Coordinates of all heavy atoms in Angstrom, one line a residue:
S93 N 63.3 124.1 83.5 CA 61.9 124.4 83.8 C 61.7 124.2 85.2 O 61.7 123.0 85.7 CB 60.9 123.7 83.0 OG 59.7 123.9 83.5
L95 N 59.0 123.9 86.6 CA 57.8 123.1 86.7 C 58.1 121.8 87.4 O 57.3 121.1 88.0 CB 57.2 122.9 85.4 CG 55.8 122.3 85.1 CD1 54.8 123.2 85.9 CD2 55.5 122.0 83.7
H118 N 63.6 128.8 83.3 CA 62.4 128.8 82.4 C 61.1 128.7 83.4 O 61.1 127.7 84.2 CB 62.5 127.5 81.5 CG 61.2 127.5 80.5 ND1 61.2 128.2 79.3 CD2 60.2 126.8 80.6 CE1 60.2 128.0 78.7 NE2 59.4 127.1 79.4
V119 N 60.2 129.6 83.3 CA 59.0 129.6 84.2 C 57.7 129.4 83.3 O 57.5 130.1 82.5 CB 59.1 130.9 84.9 CG1 57.7 131.1 85.9 CG2 60.2 131.2 85.7
D120 N 57.1 128.3 83.7 CA 55.9 127.8 82.8 C 54.6 128.3 83.6 O 54.3 127.8 84.6 CB 55.9 126.4 82.8 CG 56.9 125.9 81.7 OD1 56.9 126.4 80.7 OD2 57.7 124.9 82.1
V121 N 54.0 129.2 82.9 CA 52.7 129.9 83.4 C 51.6 129.3 82.6 O 51.5 129.4 81.5 CB 52.8 131.4 83.2 CG1 51.5 132.0 83.6 CG2 53.9 132.1 84.0
M122 N 50.6 128.7 83.4 CA 49.5 127.9 82.8 C 48.2 128.4 83.6 O 48.2 128.7 84.7 CB 49.7 126.4 83.0 CG 51.0 125.9 82.5 SD 51.1 124.1 82.7 CE 52.7 123.8 82.2
D149 N 63.1 133.5 81.9 CA 62.4 133.1 80.6 C 61.0 132.7 80.9 O 60.8 131.6 81.4 CB 63.3 132.1 80.0 CG 62.7 131.4 78.7 OD1 62.0 132.2 78.0 OD2 62.9 130.2 78.5
V150 N 60.0 133.5 80.8 CA 58.7 133.2 81.2 C 57.8 132.7 80.0 O 57.6 133.6 79.0 CB 58.1 134.5 81.9 CG1 56.6 134.2 82.3 CG2 58.9 134.8 83.1
H151 N 57.3 131.6 80.1 CA 56.6 131.0 78.9 C 55.1 131.0 79.3 O 54.6 130.3 80.3 CB 57.1 129.5 78.8 CG 56.3 128.7 77.8 ND1 56.5 127.3 77.7 CD2 55.4 129.0 76.9 CE1 55.7 126.8 76.7 NE2 55.1 127.9 76.2
L152 N 54.3 131.8 78.7 CA 52.9 132.0 79.0 C 52.1 130.9 78.2 O 52.0 131.1 76.9 CB 52.5 133.4 78.7 CG 53.1 134.6 79.4 CD1 52.4 135.9 78.9 CD2 52.9 134.5 80.9
M153 N 51.5 130.1 79.0 CA 50.5 129.2 78.3 C 49.1 129.6 78.8 O 48.4 128.9 79.5 CB 50.8 127.7 78.6 CG 52.1 127.2 77.9 SD 52.8 125.8 78.6 CE 53.8 126.7 79.8
H175 N 51.9 132.2 73.0 CA 51.6 131.2 72.0 C 50.8 131.9 70.8 O 50.0 132.7 71.0 CB 50.7 130.1 72.5 CG 51.6 129.0 73.1 ND1 51.8 127.9 72.4 CD2 52.3 128.9 74.3 CE1 52.6 127.0 73.1 NE2 52.9 127.6 74.2
C220 N 59.8 129.7 70.2 CA 59.8 128.4 71.0 C 59.0 127.3 70.3 O 57.9 127.5 70.0 CB 59.1 128.7 72.3 SG 58.9 127.3 73.4
M222 N 57.5 123.9 70.5 CA 57.0 122.9 71.5 C 57.2 121.5 70.9 O 56.7 121.2 69.8 CB 55.5 123.1 71.9 CG 55.1 124.4 72.6 SD 56.1 124.8 74.0 CE 55.6 123.2 75.1
P226 N 51.6 121.4 75.1 CA 51.9 122.0 76.4 C 50.9 121.7 77.6 O 49.6 121.5 77.2 CB 51.9 123.6 76.1 CG 51.0 123.7 74.9 CD 51.3 122.4 74.1
G227 N 51.4 121.8 78.8 CA 50.4 121.6 79.9 C 51.1 120.8 81.0 O 50.7 121.1 82.2
E255 N 64.2 128.1 70.6 CA 64.1 127.4 71.9 C 63.3 126.2 71.6 O 62.3 126.1 70.9 CB 63.5 128.3 72.9 CG 63.1 127.6 74.3 CD 62.6 128.6 75.3 OE1 61.4 129.0 75.2 OE2 63.3 129.2 76.1
V256 N 63.7 125.0 72.3 CA 62.9 123.8 72.1 C 62.4 123.4 73.5 O 63.2 123.4 74.5 CB 63.7 122.6 71.5 CG1 63.0 121.3 71.5 CG2 63.9 123.0 70.0
D257 N 61.1 123.1 73.7 CA 60.5 122.8 75.0 C 59.7 121.6 75.0 O 58.7 121.5 74.2 CB 59.7 124.2 75.3 CG 59.1 124.1 76.7 OD1 59.4 123.1 77.5 OD2 58.4 125.0 77.1
G258 N 60.1 120.6 75.8 CA 59.3 119.4 76.0 C 60.1 118.2 75.6 O 60.5 117.9 74.5
V277 N 65.1 123.9 76.8 CA 64.3 123.8 78.0 C 64.2 122.4 78.5 O 64.0 121.4 77.7 CB 62.9 124.3 77.8 CG1 62.0 124.2 79.1 CG2 62.9 125.8 77.3
Ligands
ZN798 ZN1 57.7 125.8 78.9

Side-chain angles (χ1 to χ4, degrees):
S93 165
L95 191 61
H118 186 83
V119 179
D120 285 308
V121 173
M122 305 186 186
D149 172 34
V150 178
H151 177 192
L152 297 181
M153 287 159 274
H175 270 259
C220 174
M222 294 305 300
E255 176 175 78
V256 173
D257 188 0
V277 175

